[in-house]
Each structure stands twice: as C-alpha cells, then as structure tokens.
Amino acid sequence: MKIIPFDNGARGNIRDGDKLIPIDYDGLMEKAEAANAVMPQSAVVADFKAKTNELFYEISEMNPAEIEETVKCHVQAQLDESGIDAVIVDTP
C-alpha cells in the first residue's frame, strides 16, 4: 500500500494530475472591493433585519431585536467564560 505523505485524512476534489491555477491576488481584491462597493456589508445586514422584521412571528413574546440582544449576550458570555478575547459588535 502506498503511503501518502502529509495526508491528514481529508478528502476533496484535488487529484495528483490536477493543474495548479495561479490566482491574481490584486485582481481578486479589486473584485472584492467592487462587490463591497455595490452593497456594503452594513446595508446587507440592514436589509436582512428589515426583511426579518417584516416576516417575523414573535417567539415567547420577544421581537427580533430582543432575540438578537439575548443571543448576543449569551454568545458574549460564552466567549468570556471560555477565555476567548473577542467582542461581539453590532452594525448600525
């Protein structure tokens, strides 16, 4: 049996005969910036929140903003308890 060096057990679509395709990092970053210019992330979040408010049914008499705040507090508490130095931030 042939042993594959550096095999971590993960299997994907890459095979020995596949060709490497060089990526133009600067060009990729330009495309990413152009995509963000079309709709900034804050606008995407705002649109999502508006759609949620429009279609949402209250859960345990909590509206979307109250549920979001509850989840945010819970996740921050888990981060703090785990000693992970991270802070959850809200978008405008």
Side-chain angles (χ1 to χ4, degrees):
M1 176 157 72
K2 182 178 175 184
I3 297 174
I4 302 171
F6 309 112
D7 183 12
N8 66 0
R11 300 289 183 257
N13 296 345
I14 300 174
R15 304 287 179 236
D16 288 338
D18 289 348
K19 294 180 185 177
L20 295 176
I21 301 171
I23 295 179
D24 174 19
Y25 179 79
D26 292 332
L28 179 63
M29 293 310 297
E30 286 176 16
K31 289 178 182 179
E33 289 171 9
N36 284 335
V38 171
M39 182 176 271
Q41 186 175 2
S42 60
V44 172
V45 172
D47 287 350
F48 178 81
K49 286 182 178 182
K51 192 69 166 178
T52 299
N53 286 330
E54 176 186 333
L55 301 174
F56 190 80
Y57 294 98
E58 289 189 350
I59 299 172
S60 299
E61 300 179 9
M62 295 173 64
N63 65 37
E66 293 168 328
I67 293 171
E68 182 180 355
E69 185 62 27
T70 301
V71 170
K72 188 167 87 171
C73 289
H74 175 74
V75 171
Q76 187 64 58
Q78 293 298 311
L79 291 170
D80 295 343
E81 188 177 302
S82 300
I84 298 172
D85 186 22
V87 176
I88 299 171
V89 295
D90 197 2
T91 57

